[in-house]
Amino acid sequence: MCQLKSVDAKISLELTTLKEDDTVIFKVSDTGTGIDDDFVEELFQPFVQADSAITRKFGGTGLGLAIVKQLVEKMQGKISAHSRSKKGSVFQ
C-alpha cells in the first residue's frame, strides 16, 4: 500500500497557439518544492531525478522528462524548465 503525503501544491496547464507559424506552446507550472537551478538541465537526462527519496518512496526511474524531450525534439520543438527551490517549477 502506498500512502501519499499531502502537499499544498497547485499544478496548472496553459496552452497558447501562435497563428503566424502554427506553433503550440504547452506550459505546465507547479507551486511545489522546486528544483535547485544547478540541477534543472540534468532532469532531461535518462535515469536522473531531483530527489532520490521520491524514488524510494513512490517508485519511478527518471525516464519521463527524457522521453518527453525526445518526443518534442522529433516534432522540431524545444523544451525548457525553470525552477526555484521552494517556489515551484515551470516546464514549457
Side-chain angles (χ1 to χ4, degrees):
M1 180 177 186
C2 179
Q3 294 182 353
L4 301 177
K5 181 181 176 185
S6 177
V7 177
D8 246 353
K10 294 180 183 178
I11 299 170
S12 63
L13 172 64
E14 183 180 320
L15 177 65
T16 306
T17 57
L18 305 178
K19 290 184 180 183
E20 60 269 7
D21 62 0
D22 294 327
T23 297
V24 179
I25 301 170
F26 293 89
K27 181 177 177 181
V28 180
S29 307
D30 71 63
T31 59
T33 59
I35 303 163
D36 289 332
D37 287 339
D38 298 340
F39 197 75
V40 170
E41 286 305 314
E42 292 182 41
L43 286 177
F44 296 106
Q45 301 302 315
F47 306 110
V48 171
Q49 292 182 338
D51 184 354
S52 61
I54 292 171
T55 303
R56 287 191 299 275
K57 192 169 185 177
F58 302 113
T61 59
L63 288 173
L65 287 173
I67 292 169
V68 168
K69 183 177 186 225
Q70 287 180 7
L71 289 170
V72 167
E73 289 174 350
K74 285 191 182 296
M75 294 183 282
Q76 289 78 48
K78 299 177 201 167
I79 187 167
S80 64
H82 304 281
S83 186
R84 289 184 29 201
S85 187
K86 299 181 180 138
K87 297 287 184 183
S89 303
V90 176
F91 293 86
Q92 180 170 300

